[in-house]
Amino acid sequence: LKLSEIARAVEGRVEGGSDPDITGVAPLDRASTSDLALFSALQYRAEATATEAGAILTSPDLAAHLPEETVRLVVPRVHAALAALIPLLYPERRPAPGVHPTAVIEPGAEVMDAASVGAYAVIGAGSYVAGGAVIGAHVVVGRDCRIGADAYLHPHVTLYDDVVLGARCIVHSGARIGSDGFGYSSSRAGHEKIRHVGRCVLGDDVEIGANTTIDRGSIGDTVIGSGTKIDNLVQVGHNVRMGEHCIVVSQVGVSGSTQLGRFVTLGGQAGIKGHIRIGDGATVAGQAGVFGDVEAGSTVSGYPARPHRESLRAQAVALKLPELMRRLRAIERAVFGKDTPEP
Amino acid sequence: LKLSEIARAVEGRVEGGSDPDITGVAPLDRASTSDLALFSALQYRAEATATEAGAILTSPDLAAHLPEETVRLVVPRVHAALAALIPLLYPERRPAPGVHPTAVIEPGAEVMDAASVGAYAVIGAGSYVAGGAVIGAHVVVGRDCRIGADAYLHPHVTLYDDVVLGARCIVHSGARIGSDGFGYSSSRAGHEKIRHVGRCVLGDDVEIGANTTIDRGSIGDTVIGSGTKIDNLVQVGHNVRMGEHCIVVSQVGVSGSTQLGRFVTLGGQAGIKGHIRIGDGATVAGQAGVFGDVEAGSTVSGYPARPHRESLRAQAVALKLPELMRRLRAIERAVFGKDTPEP
Amino acid sequence: LKLSEIARAVEGRVEGGSDPDITGVAPLDRASTSDLALFSALQYRAEATATEAGAILTSPDLAAHLPEETVRLVVPRVHAALAALIPLLYPERRPAPGVHPTAVIEPGAEVMDAASVGAYAVIGAGSYVAGGAVIGAHVVVGRDCRIGADAYLHPHVTLYDDVVLGARCIVHSGARIGSDGFGYSSSRAGHEKIRHVGRCVLGDDVEIGANTTIDRGSIGDTVIGSGTKIDNLVQVGHNVRMGEHCIVVSQVGVSGSTQLGRFVTLGGQAGIKGHIRIGDGATVAGQAGVFGDVEAGSTVSGYPARPHRESLRAQAVALKLPELMRRLRAIERAVFGKDTPEP
């Protein structure tokens, strides 16, 4: 594709005086003359100046840091343009519709004609797979599940019984949806299992990362709102309810019955207590330990999590603790004439 | 079922003047008139008052917070009653005994008649599956394993060679038991693998969460005591020995050769150093980093973990650090007549 | 084997006056008279004295702590000797070459004669499996992958499309290599997926733990250097580049585009921010939260991570905070005649 053709598709502007043929996208330090390279943060300025890329995709701000003769494709939002141009250069290889001869479709399961079911997949009795859905090799779907139109389940996904996936959901390899929650009736004799009879219900356009686990509800449902994206190795406890368009980064743990609003962001490895509420648009920093409700729109961090500004201030002071100790001793000597007065 | 029939089964008391038909259990805010709803914590009082549930399962204490006319099933221990009544309302759908025609039972493997083996499961040579056990679809059992009576392996579980599971163990989808531990002989040339020849031995009534990993022993065994329950995405290192009836919450990591007593609780995302001992009945708070032995019966938290009371006190003071800094400066000005005296 | 035969193979010295037959290796507290037991840390001295082992494998230093009559195999490096002697006592049971009749080899895939492909494995179109490689039961290999000579993929591994594994790589059960990275173009309308078209490229002798996830590059590659060992349940983000011979302990998360040098060690549950550099030979302590570049050869710990010495000093002072507060109040009373002066 000519760079100008790409520019038209992403509503960008070609600058720098030529219009090269582009066959791929590459990072600045590995790009060749037929690649479009991405320059999206100032910290990569040196690589952007040294790159051999045929053209650079960048924003108006960053374009100013490039030599004038650099061929560039300038767009208002670099990542939006990237999302739009990748399908032009790399057509998706979606499996053709049809059921692989080795797949097991249990009696009473229904697979629409336009769906694709891979090798050795198992679809349980009473389950329904809508048109356009892709069920990867070795996927196991339990009983009475519903998989929405154009959903994509990568190899080795497990859905337990009664899972509902909306349209266009993407579930990555090894994700487990609908496993029993961790609930017991404990006594001195031990822990008696409380069997879980709720479901997992995911909205439309949800993405679930590789090896992530989402427990079914104990008696109600675990609910993931439409448009919410969950990264790899995340744990979602029983009865959790997430709103729409949340972002949950890798290795987060959300304990049972906690509720997230819309557009909540949970940073990597954050841990969220059970039975609390996190308001719309709130952000939890990576590795934070959240023990209480979080207000809509706020940002919290640290252990225990508190408003991010407070955390930063406390961190700054914590760094000065050894110095503070020395100063305290100096005062003690001046005031009491000795090092460590008895309080 | 009549509420009174349920009450008899769980040894509870019906109050509120009527005896509705109950067909299910539901959360307070989603229950209908044929549901029994759970009211087990005061924070849900508003939902309990507003619920449309046909009846409320609760404890004597909490029952006092309900309007008098509310139909309720009062029991001494709410979660014990829940565990007992769910099987009445939701009969378990355990797979019928028999070996699916696509399962591969290697020569020398032994599967008892009353066991169930699902589609595409593989049972390795020399392994034994006791009666009543359920081997889910796509489970892979290595060589020389023993699976106890009535054990339940959900789809996609892997047992490496030489794993022993006691009676009634439940292993959730994607759990890996018996993988090699992380042990190398390291030098300037790199890291040479130490092959692991120990086993994994799980007692009776152990439950292992989805995508949890339990490494085999290097030269001895990794041992999980009877009745211990492990949540999702937990890592158990080589040669770890856990006692009976422990509770290990999601995303915990226990490093190699560490020993847990009985009834130990490890909170979510806690990290436990290798080669230490955690005494009977001890509790480790979520996200704690434990670097040394923990006394029986104690509770530790924080990084590095210390007695929970101490952690709380230190946290409280840490919150006051900026204020403490201001007070220190005030004293310095009073004593030294300047802000920051050289110590 | 006679102990003396083992000693010759590992270049060790037999001491203690006899030369027993040895049939296995065992931990000190579980060894029998035909076992060689490992004594590699002073904290196990009591067990070493009480053991029933036929002989003890130990270093010259530790040998001095044993009763004189103890039969011992003394070696300069205990773990190196262990790595060398295990194959003598426990011959590896590597599957025989050949393709299981149930395996699906898609048209255009190439499997060398000396490779082994297990039950129900799927090898995608265009992929190549070199001689000596073992593809375990239920492994799914995508399209256009390359698997090096003598590599070993345990059951239930998933390789997405375009993954390259070097010679002798070991991939444990449930690892996912090449899943999409977590990248979206976000706006008030939601999060639009950026399709990932980079690859995952692993060098030679890499080991990947059970249920670990390694995301493919967004537009470049995710690269793991030769000899690097990654433990279970680790998350490696898109475009990460790790050097050779790194050690990444369980449950670590490395965010996108971060670069590790050679011989870097990341302790368990550490979290590493994206787009940073960690220099050759650096060590990150367990549970650390790393937000900025780490110098070659340095050790960092804590949240936010800083030089380990500083962290320790700050921890020590933090422990004294309540006492420091009391001392501050004592000074205030002495200087201002009251408890809490307004600053």
Side-chain angles (χ1 to χ4, degrees), chain A residues 29-30 44 77 80 90 93 120 138 156 172-173 176 207 211 232 245 250-251 287 319 325 332, chain C residues 102 120 138 144 158 160-161 174 176 184-186 191 193 195 211 215 235 241 252 275 289 306 327:
Chain A
D29 62 346
R30 309 222 164 168
Y44 295 110
R77 293 173 54 230
Y90 303 89
R93 303 191 291 182
Y120 300 120
H138 284 254
H156 284 131
H172 281 282
S173 190
R176 315 299 169 189
E207 185 161 0
N211 286 349
N232 299 343
H245 306 300
S250 183
Q251 296 177 320
Q287 292 193 325
L319 279 169
M325 201 57 146
E332 284 172 340
Chain C
T102 60
Y120 300 120
H138 285 255
D144 299 322
T158 307
Y160 280 62
D161 297 347
R176 315 299 169 190
Y184 301 92
S185 166
S186 295
H191 314 288
K193 182 176 178 69
R195 194 143 57 76
N211 287 347
D215 285 341
Q235 153 71 359
R241 298 181 196 168
V252 161
H275 294 274
R306 41 186 157 148
R327 284 159 64 181

